[in-house]
Amino acid sequence: MKYFRTFLVALMLAVVCIVPFQPVGAQNDLSTSVVGAPLTPEDVQTFLDEFMSENMESYGVPGLAFVMVKDGELFFSKGYGYADLENQVLFDPEQTIIRAGSMVKTVTALAVMQLVEQGMIDLDTDVNQYLTQLQVPSTYDEPVTARQLLHYTAGFDARFIGIRVENADEIMPLGDYLAEHMTDRVRPPGEFRAYNDIEIALAGLLVEDVSGMPYDQYVEEHIFKPLGMDSTWIFLPQEEEQRAALGYRSDGQPYPLNYYHLNDAASAGFNTTASDLARYMIMHLENGKYGDVQLLGEEYAEELHTTRFRHHPNLPGIAYAFDEIFWGDLRRLAKGGGAPGFQNRMFLIPDENVGVYFVYNRDSNVRLAPKLEDEFLTRFFPKTVQPLQDEFPLADPHELDRYSGYYVELNDYSANSLEKVKSLMEQEHVTVSEHGLYDGNLVLVGENLFQWRSTGNYVAFREDDQGTITHMFYARTAAMRVPWHETFPVQMSLLVFSLITFLSAMIGWLVTGLKSRGKLYIVSGSLSLVYIAFLIGLGLLLGPVFTGADPPWVFSFSPPVELLLLLVLPLVGVALTLGLIWQTFKLWAKHQGDRFVRIHNLLTLVASLVFIFFLHTWNLLGYQL
């Protein structure tokens, strides 16, 4: 999941500034065709030794393991640094157990495909025909299918709160967890890819209900054991904990070993070693076979790796839980994973029969992974793409105005919970100048299709029946155009207006408190105090997360009691607003107080209504968890 920046600090300081936005889809400059370095284990080690000596310390990464497979065999394996800094335990690809995070999504897809091969699941049949522990609501006419679940296109809302528990004995059975926490269907299925743990967890439940055994038991018996992945478990056995690496926070402090346990393990994580994942990659590259074990028929393994969904023909797509990524003309199937204190990455290059996996024990704000991946590929698989044409036809800027606006990615976007508020600071501003989109750097090359001058990557837009642009697509990502009233400038302007008005009403209440006019401010002052206390309390609660002192993962557990108490205050504010409506009416009807007092109360009433609108927009009014 991406992390949201703090907006509460800005609220309390009453500072409004439009943050500069990074142009969407911008990537590295195009490379010209060059010959890659020799691909031998010695050359890979030389590259990695140089890379690690230059980057591990500067990025603050305690330890890393790297494995590579080629032509059905382990090609290279090495560990760097420490799995446990304090005790100086080396990071060992064979022995060190790590939390692999969302890498497990590919395991769930494999399990579903095994059941498809056995004729127990049809990829395009309504999953309600297979589910026994719960039923998917019929929100839309179109049913949800297994194929859509594995492509993240089923249309479910996202949810982060509640996926983890603190103690192993609190882990809920997958069916019970989804029955209690399954999110709403907010989009018609099959239209948009939106990375979502709920959908893969439902695929895991599908495995349970069809196979008749718990998810963790199924994948252990039908995937891990046949592949000889003897150091891989969905839930880490207590007797293996001494082999587990510690994950480290952004401030360099380690997470406790048993910091969390997963309710949705079928979509969010498992425990394994780099060497075990080498076996797993070989099986994928050998089309379902590892040694003498045929884990999945070749036809179904090929289907598992086939791209069946993309937002536009010019964009890369999604296979079954694997991202399709092009490095020049080279197609890769990639999957990343994150967990508290861990980042890992797997990519397969089928045409070269090569697979790479690496993992390091530092939080996700440390961006070592993309640097390592890019430099490795540049060294051994340089891009072989044609340079872009020098001149592009210029489009009329007035015709491009229809594309300008604010957009927000659907990945992890929560429409119906308070988690929606993070999207306020994640809005992408598509700008138009006299030179075109992004000052002419994004050029029109087809109907609703654009291309970056620097990289050649495509960006596509979608319009509705009235010709209004509704979505933007880049790579595998769908971004929704934000309604004008939810855009960052509008929402922040309304918020700061309300905050300044509340502060002035509190000052008026304090100043007149010793005078006869003090009673004329008692409702507006109390209301302002409630709202300001809410913002300050929320800031104190979330401030450590925003500053890096506490990890954002804390909100993946049950809602903190402090948050539940704070959410009472907006409801109190609504009740006081009703009282302020009555008091303001009396002030004006009976000409009580001077004109300044009456106007000030009226202004506070307007500010309260505006603030209620803000709270409602971001699902902060009530308990939308």
Side-chain angles (χ1 to χ4, degrees), residues 419-596:
E419 295 176 33
K420 179 183 177 182
V421 73
K422 71 177 180 178
S423 68
L424 176 61
M425 296 301 292
E426 294 176 345
Q427 295 179 11
E428 168 67 31
H429 189 196
V430 176
T431 59
V432 178
S433 70
E434 60 181 350
H435 302 293
L437 289 188
Y438 288 118
D439 203 29
N441 290 310
L442 191 61
V443 294
L444 184 66
V445 295
E447 185 177 2
N448 292 332
L449 182 67
F450 291 77
Q451 196 172 13
W452 285 104
R453 287 183 183 273
S454 59
T455 66
N457 295 327
Y458 288 97
V459 176
F461 290 84
R462 179 177 296 182
E463 61 184 34
D464 61 18
D465 294 339
Q466 288 73 44
T468 301
I469 298 298
T470 59
H471 294 83
M472 174 174 61
F473 308 109
Y474 44 93
R476 295 149 302 280
T477 299
M480 173 184 68
R481 191 172 190 171
V482 179
W484 70 269
H485 60 275
E486 290 189 11
T487 60
F488 179 84
V490 170
Q491 286 291 310
M492 292 302 291
S493 297
L494 294 177
L495 187 57
V496 171
F497 159 73
S498 299
L499 184 59
I500 292 175
T501 304
F502 295 151
L503 288 171
S504 68
M506 283 185 59
I507 293 172
W509 188 25
L510 294 173
V511 169
T512 61
L514 299 178
K515 303 177 182 178
S516 59
R517 291 191 304 170
K519 63 181 181 181
L520 302 180
Y521 273 110
I522 190 168
V523 179
S524 61
S526 300
L527 178 146
S528 299
L529 178 62
V530 165
Y531 284 145
I532 291 174
F534 170 72
L535 292 175
I536 292 176
L538 206 55
L540 293 174
L541 178 63
L542 302 182
V545 176
F546 298 141
T547 59
D550 284 337
W553 307 100
V554 295
F555 288 95
S556 64
F557 298 94
S558 298
V561 174
E562 297 88 342
L563 177 61
L564 298 178
L565 294 175
L566 278 173
L567 290 174
V568 173
L569 296 181
L571 300 177
V572 175
V574 171
L576 289 172
T577 300
L578 296 176
L580 184 58
I581 292 174
W582 174 243
Q583 184 181 54
T584 303
F585 173 77
K586 287 199 306 178
L587 289 176
W588 285 92
K590 298 182 180 180
H591 297 283
Q592 295 179 349
D594 55 36
R595 181 176 294 272
F596 176 81

Side-chain angles (χ1 to χ4, degrees), residues 226-385:
L227 291 179
M229 298 172 67
D230 298 329
S231 294
T232 301
W233 305 269
I234 295 299
F235 302 108
L236 181 63
Q238 187 174 1
E239 62 270 18
E240 300 291 343
E241 290 181 356
Q242 73 274 8
R243 295 172 54 195
L246 290 178
Y248 289 81
R249 306 189 328 182
S250 57
D251 60 4
Q253 296 301 309
Y255 289 94
L257 179 59
N258 289 319
Y259 171 66
Y260 71 93
H261 303 270
L262 286 163
N263 281 320
D264 65 341
S267 67
F270 68 129
N271 305 274
T272 186
T273 65
S275 291
D276 272 9
L277 284 178
R279 294 169 175 263
Y280 183 70
M281 289 191 294
I282 290 172
M283 179 275 301
H284 274 286
L285 290 166
E286 296 297 308
N287 285 326
K289 188 176 182 180
Y290 181 80
D292 296 330
V293 176
Q294 190 72 48
L295 199 68
L296 186 66
E298 184 171 344
E299 173 188 352
Y300 295 93
E302 290 178 352
E303 174 65 20
L304 195 65
H305 302 148
T306 300
T307 297
R308 297 293 184 188
F309 180 86
R310 51 171 53 93
H311 290 113
H312 189 276
N314 290 78
L315 297 176
I318 178 77
Y320 295 83
F322 280 104
D323 290 339
E324 179 184 60
I325 301 177
F326 287 94
W327 178 259
D329 296 330
L330 196 65
R331 179 178 183 263
R332 287 180 293 147
L333 294 173
K335 185 72 191 79
F342 291 96
Q343 288 297 299
N344 60 150
R345 180 77 168 166
M346 175 193 296
F347 59 87
L348 310 174
I349 309 176
D351 289 346
E352 301 289 338
N353 208 0
V354 165
V356 170
Y357 172 80
F358 60 88
V359 57
Y360 56 88
N361 52 345
R362 189 70 186 266
D363 255 340
S364 60
N365 61 334
V366 174
R367 304 288 293 165
L368 181 68
K371 181 177 175 65
L372 174 55
E373 184 172 350
D374 284 354
E375 292 195 14
F376 175 85
L377 290 169
T378 299
R379 179 77 165 264
F380 298 105
F381 300 95
K383 293 181 180 179
T384 55
V385 297

Side-chain angles (χ1 to χ4, degrees), residues 96-300:
T96 302
I97 296 173
I98 52 90
R99 292 185 184 256
S102 288
M103 206 66 65
V104 76
K105 290 179 171 66
T106 67
V107 175
T108 302
L110 173 60
V112 170
M113 197 61 72
Q114 286 181 326
L115 297 173
V116 171
E117 181 179 17
Q118 296 170 34
M120 302 176 71
I121 293 177
D122 180 87
L123 286 171
D124 297 308
T125 295
D126 185 348
V127 294
N128 280 335
Q129 294 193 22
Y130 306 111
L131 294 172
T132 59
Q133 299 183 58
L134 56 80
Q135 292 285 280
V136 173
S138 56
T139 308
Y140 299 94
D141 293 335
E142 303 89 346
V144 170
T145 68
R147 190 189 304 275
Q148 292 160 354
L149 293 176
L150 298 179
H151 286 158
Y152 316 106
T153 61
F156 284 88
D157 207 5
R159 181 185 176 90
F160 186 60
I161 296 175
I163 67 172
R164 294 181 172 92
V165 293
E166 295 181 356
N167 301 305
D169 56 5
E170 297 175 352
I171 298 173
M172 302 175 67
L174 185 57
D176 293 347
Y177 168 74
L178 287 173
E180 183 175 330
H181 292 85
M182 188 166 66
T183 57
D184 298 329
R185 296 176 64 189
V186 294
R187 291 176 295 274
E191 290 194 13
F192 304 104
R193 175 191 180 268
Y195 192 84
N196 190 318
D197 282 0
I198 287 291
E199 298 186 6
I200 301 295
L202 267 173
L205 186 64
L206 196 63
V207 171
E208 283 198 356
D209 287 351
V210 171
S211 69
M213 62 179 67
Y215 171 84
D216 58 317
Q217 180 184 345
Y218 177 90
V219 296
E220 183 173 354
E221 293 184 10
H222 294 272
I223 297 177
F224 301 154
K225 285 184 177 179
L227 291 179
M229 298 172 67
D230 298 329
S231 294
T232 301
W233 305 269
I234 295 299
F235 302 108
L236 181 63
Q238 187 174 1
E239 62 270 18
E240 300 291 343
E241 290 181 356
Q242 73 274 8
R243 295 172 54 195
L246 290 178
Y248 289 81
R249 306 189 328 182
S250 57
D251 60 4
Q253 296 301 309
Y255 289 94
L257 179 59
N258 289 319
Y259 171 66
Y260 71 93
H261 303 270
L262 286 163
N263 281 320
D264 65 341
S267 67
F270 68 129
N271 305 274
T272 186
T273 65
S275 291
D276 272 9
L277 284 178
R279 294 169 175 263
Y280 183 70
M281 289 191 294
I282 290 172
M283 179 275 301
H284 274 286
L285 290 166
E286 296 297 308
N287 285 326
K289 188 176 182 180
Y290 181 80
D292 296 330
V293 176
Q294 190 72 48
L295 199 68
L296 186 66
E298 184 171 344
E299 173 188 352
Y300 295 93

